[in-house]
Amino acid sequence: MADILPPNLLQERPRTPAGLLSNAEKDRLIERGFLGLYRWYTARSQETRNWNADRSFDWRHLRKDLPPEVVTVMQGFFAVEQYAPDFTSQLVHLVRRSHGRSHFQLRWGSEEEKHADAWENAVLFSEQRSPEWIAEYKERLRSQTWELPFPDAIHNLVYTVFQERATQLNYLNMMKIAQGKSEKPHLAGVSDPVLAKVAQTIAVDEAAHYNFFLEGVRMYLYYYPERTLDAIKNVIGQFSMPAASLVPDWQEFSETVYRAGIYGPRDFQRDVMQVAFRNLGIESRKALEEGIRKTREVPDFEGQNARTTAIFDTFDYGQIEGDVRRLHVKIQDYEQEIGFDKLDPTEFIENPEVPRQGGQAADD
């Protein structure tokens, strides 16, 4: 078509096929979704998870005879969370033009800071590391800087989904050990109510973080399916936990975590990747990679905003549309409670690119 248009009409040709959303409009809708989600998240966080790392736990009664393996794991958790200032500053800078995302990262950072303080308290009150040792260890940790694993916002957003789920799993399994429920012989009978409460409290935070980032990826998956699926494929292909290259005794920590039944490669496959895939309507890693390959074989719309249909066979688009609609209902309910709905409401706009059958909506 472009070859036979007169040169004077080429400039007038619309960049977006008729009936489709422009990238600018998609970006606006995603940003409004993030802003509404941030407002809802912050209110809920302040109402239900407003704990303090010093006062919310009975530190004096933390066991002083915890097994060395448990203390090693606590030390590793403390080490990773020490990079909260880097995690926060790098991500805020990356998304600083987005109100909802940048302000959420500040809120997220304040919650991660509490995790760092709580795990430091756990190590200190175990009395198996001296205050001097902890101070020197922190200095070693903070002498290095954590850097973003990916250069762009969408890859880092996807990364945080898998990272937060993996972190939550680590803390939940530590909680089980502290509740005396470990199936490992060398940890049988270990029980510490204070440690169990610490791990559970932080795990609840990590679940909230996972859900925020998950909702964000769902919005991207709804409006930019091909780009988002490609980012998911890239992230899981090179995933590693944050600060693995910075913590000086990472090898000992990771081996101890594995032997304790807290986290390992099988846990990532079964309880992180597959859980996230299920929440994103993706059947499996193989299905994801095959779907992306087929999509790239479909010719695009003469070089302009391709409307490819093969990508919609890669995941359950109806599930994602239903999830995004429900997110907007939650945001709208919150806006009605505050009064935003009268002045500046958040609206859900359907993505017309998805193939429909018999005129039905994707989640009908």
Side-chain angles (χ1 to χ4, degrees):
M1 182 68 175
D3 294 335
I4 62 175
L5 281 174
N8 65 315
L9 293 182
L10 287 175
Q11 297 294 328
E12 301 176 9
R13 177 179 176 180
R15 295 186 59 81
T16 304
L20 300 186
L21 297 173
S22 68
N23 287 349
E25 178 65 4
K26 291 178 181 179
D27 292 343
R28 185 190 71 81
L29 294 169
I30 290 172
E31 288 306 315
R32 282 307 305 255
F34 270 118
L35 177 58
L37 178 58
Y38 156 71
R39 286 170 171 163
W40 175 89
Y41 176 96
T42 300
R44 186 168 179 82
S45 171
Q46 292 172 333
E47 292 168 359
T48 64
R49 296 186 291 107
N50 198 23
W51 56 274
N52 180 271
D54 296 335
R55 293 185 176 276
S56 296
F57 309 102
D58 187 3
W59 291 114
R60 290 187 180 90
H61 288 90
L62 185 79
R63 281 180 55 174
K64 309 301 185 284
D65 60 345
L66 288 168
E69 294 88 348
V70 172
V71 178
T72 295
V73 174
M74 294 193 307
Q75 175 185 312
F77 291 163
F78 151 62
V80 173
E81 299 284 10
Q82 283 301 301
Y83 293 96
D86 292 340
F87 302 154
T88 306
S89 61
Q90 300 258 358
L91 289 167
V92 167
H93 180 74
L94 184 67
V95 297
R96 61 177 299 276
R97 296 180 64 182
S98 165
H99 179 180
R101 293 183 68 179
S102 62
H103 282 221
F104 168 76
Q105 291 298 166
L106 293 173
R107 165 65 53 180
W108 175 86
S110 71
E111 294 177 358
E112 292 294 335
E113 166 268 322
K114 293 196 297 183
H115 303 173
D117 290 349
W119 285 121
E120 180 175 351
N121 284 351
V123 174
L124 175 65
F125 280 91
S126 75
E127 298 187 9
Q128 298 192 36
R129 303 288 187 274
S130 69
E132 294 76 18
W133 185 95
I134 293 173
E136 190 275 335
Y137 190 57
K138 279 197 293 188
E139 182 63 28
R140 290 173 64 193
L141 293 168
R142 289 173 179 262
S143 68
Q144 302 183 83
T145 303
W146 178 85
E147 302 289 345
L148 290 170
F150 298 93
D152 62 301
I154 190 169
H155 276 80
N156 283 290
L157 177 65
V158 169
Y159 171 81
T160 52
V161 168
F162 292 92
Q163 176 262 313
E164 292 287 356
R165 172 60 188 169
T167 305
Q168 178 198 10
L169 183 64
N170 272 264
Y171 296 159
L172 286 174
N173 285 332
M174 171 61 99
M175 178 190 73
K176 288 175 62 178
I177 291 174
Q179 290 174 336
K181 298 178 180 179
S182 175
E183 297 177 357
K184 302 295 182 179
H186 67 292
L187 295 175
V190 174
S191 179
D192 188 320
V194 178
L195 178 57
K197 183 180 178 182
V198 172
Q200 182 179 33
T201 300
I202 301 177
V204 170
D205 276 2
E206 301 295 3
H209 298 170
Y210 169 77
N211 284 320
F212 182 97
F213 293 121
L214 177 67
E215 296 284 23
V217 171
R218 282 169 171 164
M219 286 191 287
Y220 269 103
L221 193 53
Y222 182 67
Y223 289 111
Y224 289 111
E226 186 170 357
R227 184 190 306 179
T228 308
L229 289 170
D230 200 49
I232 294 171
K233 173 181 174 292
N234 294 337
V235 167
I236 62 174
Q238 49 188 301
F239 180 85
S240 64
M241 292 297 283
S245 62
L246 302 178
V247 175
D249 41 11
W250 181 267
Q251 188 64 33
E252 178 188 0
F253 166 63
S254 61
E255 290 176 357
T256 304
V257 163
Y258 177 74
R259 290 196 302 269
I262 292 175
Y263 183 77
R266 182 177 297 179
D267 299 290
F268 175 76
Q269 295 287 332
R270 181 189 60 203
D271 296 322
V272 177
M273 189 172 69
Q274 286 303 322
V275 169
F277 277 2
R278 184 166 63 248
N279 293 154
L280 293 169
I282 300 170
E283 180 182 349
S284 65
R285 183 173 182 175
K286 181 179 180 180
L288 170 66
E289 294 174 348
E290 181 67 13
I292 291 174
R293 184 187 66 80
K294 288 181 178 179
T295 299
R296 288 172 176 162
E297 294 174 354
V298 177
D300 66 10
F301 186 86
E302 300 176 355
Q304 302 288 341
N305 289 318
R307 186 184 184 187
T308 58
T309 59
I311 194 68
F312 297 106
D313 296 329
T314 307
F315 67 108
D316 189 341
Y317 194 86
Q319 173 186 324
I320 295 303
E321 179 167 334
D323 290 333
V324 174
R325 285 181 182 273
R326 281 186 287 274
L327 169 62
H328 280 75
V329 169
K330 179 166 65 177
I331 292 170
Q332 289 161 0
D333 288 345
Y334 180 79
E335 291 180 343
Q336 289 175 8
E337 178 185 343
I338 306 303
F340 290 123
D341 62 313
K342 302 297 183 183
L343 301 173
D344 190 21
T346 300
E347 297 179 333
F348 172 77
I349 303 297
E350 186 178 279
N351 183 6
E353 293 180 32
V354 60
R356 308 289 180 181
Q357 296 181 357
Q360 295 295 307
D363 60 344
D364 283 353

